[in-house]
Amino acid sequence: MFKLSKKVQALPPYLFLEIDKAKRKARAEGRDIIDLGIGDPDQPTCGFIIDALSQAAREAANHRYALDQGLPVLRKAIGDWYKRRFKVNLNCETEILPLIGSKEGLAHFPLAFLNPGDLSLVPDPSYPPYKGGTILAGGKPYMMPLLASNSFLPDLRKIPLSARKKAKIIFINYPNNPTSACASDDFYTELIEFATKNKIIIVSDLAYSELTYDGYKARSLLEFPGSREVVIEFHSLSKTYNMTGWRIGWACGKAQLVAALAKVKSNIDSGIFSAIQLAGVAALRGRQDYLKSTCELYRQRRDILVDGLNRLGWRAIKPKATFYVWIKIHPKADAISFAAHLLSDANIVVTPGVGFGQHGQGYIRLALTVSGERIKEALGRLKKIS
Ligand code: PLP
């Protein structure tokens, strides 16, 4: 047998693949599974975006290798969207880089700045590629606990001097997966000060910025003073426009950081299929009313789920953003055994919090990506086993 590289051996198993295996096995046994596990929107991509793809796919010019830096028309649409949404001006030539989904950009970014022994400051729990990308780049993740007692924000003051000195990158993701927490302006201000003082790049992941409820509006870190020197921000069309399978997102911010990521990527991939880039333009420039209805749909589901769970005595909290509900099961309960119990006894898939890091132990994550009717059915099943 061939021996895996040390870096690949050091990677944790990818959580969702394991869950998917268990789910597929249960389905193959003919069981009616309600999947509240992976965060993949159940609603279709809007028709006008599909039309734009279909039209662009017929053009022979779009069948060739795409430009590595993304089509100028897409970069301009991203720049205009940013200005409209956050009142932030970006240089479309140097400060925006389209990505084949934000995941690849987040995972590739550490390659541009980490040397062996360097650290990334990674929230625990968090989206797995922050840690995986750091390990693949030869760096070491330094885990920052996200605790309920600190509103699921990392306590920057607790990061020791030794870690600050070796850290090159800090990953931040608000609205947050998996906790659904949102960042305060004070936290962002403190974060920029911390990063500037310690010469650490802030990687801000805004994948869920548009899925917000009850009047809450997520902010971009690039709106804050001092951010333009230290921030690269990652966005995705996946959750905003129900386009997870299409693979399109972008990075933006400080030109040096964007150029470094572009250099890494130019050695790895050859850009996004141009027809998908043009569909992305349609999404960003087209009518945004269905985003409102998407948020309203998740809000309704959130209320059905959280109110229903609380009636069962679960103490769930309504998130004001993302489509996740993060629930404490029991201080000592093992999240993996609890998730296995829900799958075997109620045919419900949830994600054990510990899969996002050890501080996720004692929590499970439920995704609002099934219909209200199925959520009611899940609540009925939970009632039976409680
Ligand atoms: N960031 C976070 C926090 C996520 O949860 C996800 C997907 O689940 C992504 C980024 C990746 O999104 P995509 O690669 O589809 O753009």
Side-chain angles (χ1 to χ4, degrees):
M1 278 299 277
F2 299 107
K3 199 158 175 207
L4 290 175
S5 70
K6 289 204 178 97
K7 285 176 190 167
V8 170
Q9 284 181 47
L11 288 175
Y14 199 67
L15 168 77
F16 302 118
L17 295 181
E18 300 291 310
I19 294 172
D20 217 41
K21 229 193 272 171
K23 194 166 63 190
R24 258 183 287 146
K25 184 167 169 278
R27 283 206 171 114
E29 290 163 5
R31 290 156 53 191
D32 174 26
I33 300 297
I34 300 177
D35 187 359
L36 305 174
I38 196 160
D40 196 347
D42 58 319
Q43 296 300 300
T45 308
C46 211
F48 73 86
I49 301 174
I50 298 172
D51 291 344
L53 170 74
S54 145
Q55 198 185 342
R58 286 176 214 286
E59 296 286 334
N62 294 329
H63 299 169
R64 313 189 70 181
Y65 286 123
L67 288 172
D68 291 347
Q69 304 274 1
L71 295 174
V73 66
L74 174 60
R75 280 186 271 124
K76 178 80 170 71
I78 291 169
D80 289 347
W81 183 87
Y82 234 84
K83 200 171 186 171
R84 272 198 320 274
R85 174 64 178 86
F86 299 116
K87 300 194 172 50
V88 168
N89 286 309
L90 294 168
N91 181 325
C92 300
E93 296 295 317
T94 58
E95 293 182 320
I96 296 173
L97 179 69
L99 300 169
I100 311 171
S102 62
K103 181 180 181 181
E104 63 95 350
L106 289 160
H108 284 139
F109 187 75
L111 283 171
F113 288 97
L114 296 189
N115 287 311
D118 288 343
L119 300 182
S120 286
L121 306 177
V122 178
D124 177 355
S126 64
Y127 183 52
Y130 310 150
K131 189 174 177 182
T134 297
I135 293 170
L136 287 174
K140 282 198 185 136
Y142 175 91
M143 306 312 287
M144 306 180 290
L146 301 189
L147 305 176
S149 56
N150 198 40
S151 312
F152 297 110
L153 299 168
D155 189 342
L156 302 174
R157 284 160 303 178
K158 291 217 169 116
I159 299 169
L161 199 63
S162 55
R164 293 177 192 208
K165 277 191 181 151
K166 286 190 195 160
K168 294 282 156 59
I169 294 170
I170 181 168
F171 286 96
I172 291 294
N173 163 226
Y174 294 100
N176 184 256
N177 175 18
T179 68
S180 71
C182 297
S184 61
D185 289 1
D186 285 350
F187 172 73
Y188 275 168
T189 305
E190 186 192 345
L191 173 67
I192 291 166
E193 260 174 45
F194 170 86
T196 308
K197 188 166 162 215
N198 294 290
K199 298 195 174 54
I200 297 173
I201 299 161
I202 303 174
V203 169
S204 164
D205 178 357
L206 247 64
Y208 296 92
S209 64
E210 305 315 298
L211 300 185
T212 60
Y213 319 109
D214 309 333
Y216 175 70
K217 228 169 178 238
R219 296 189 69 184
S220 157
L221 250 183
L222 293 171
E223 293 177 48
F224 289 77
S227 62
R228 302 302 287 258
E229 288 308 310
V230 285
V231 172
I232 181 164
E233 200 152 73
F234 288 75
H235 284 261
S236 172
L237 271 64
S238 290
K239 322 281 167 152
T240 310
Y241 299 108
N242 299 328
M243 293 174 72
T244 48
W246 295 56
R247 312 313 300 133
I248 177 163
W250 74 85
C252 60
K254 187 178 170 72
Q256 184 212 352
L257 307 181
V258 169
L261 179 58
K263 185 169 182 184
V264 170
K265 276 172 56 63
S266 68
N267 283 281
I268 294 174
D269 67 64
S270 302
I272 314 163
F273 177 30
S274 298
I276 290 181
Q277 296 195 49
L278 293 167
V281 173
L284 291 166
R285 291 215 184 276
R287 41 178 259 258
Q288 304 293 313
D289 54 337
Y290 80 102
L291 174 57
K292 233 189 213 165
S293 50
T294 303
C295 289
E296 177 53 19
L297 185 72
Y298 290 135
R299 188 200 59 74
Q300 284 170 10
R301 292 173 178 180
R302 175 199 71 172
D303 291 354
I304 294 170
L305 180 65
V306 173
D307 291 342
L309 289 173
N310 287 339
R311 276 196 295 274
L312 298 176
W314 276 52
R315 291 207 204 149
I317 293 167
K318 287 183 184 173
K320 58 182 180 184
T322 78
F323 47 46
Y324 301 118
V325 179
W326 182 242
I327 300 174
K328 187 160 193 164
I329 41 176
H330 185 277
K332 294 237 161 58
D334 170 55
I336 293 182
S337 320
F338 189 76
H341 157 64
L342 293 184
L343 181 58
S344 64
D345 296 1
N347 288 326
I348 296 172
V349 175
V350 301
T351 308
V354 71
F356 298 98
Q358 72 179 62
H359 286 91
Q361 185 59 282
Y363 287 87
I364 54 170
R365 191 196 71 179
L366 276 56
L368 301 167
T369 46
V370 302
S371 70
E373 285 312 304
R374 290 294 274 172
I375 291 174
K376 286 181 194 160
E377 164 72 23
L379 289 166
R381 292 184 192 179
L382 290 174
K383 190 171 179 188
K384 273 194 201 146
I385 62 161
S386 57

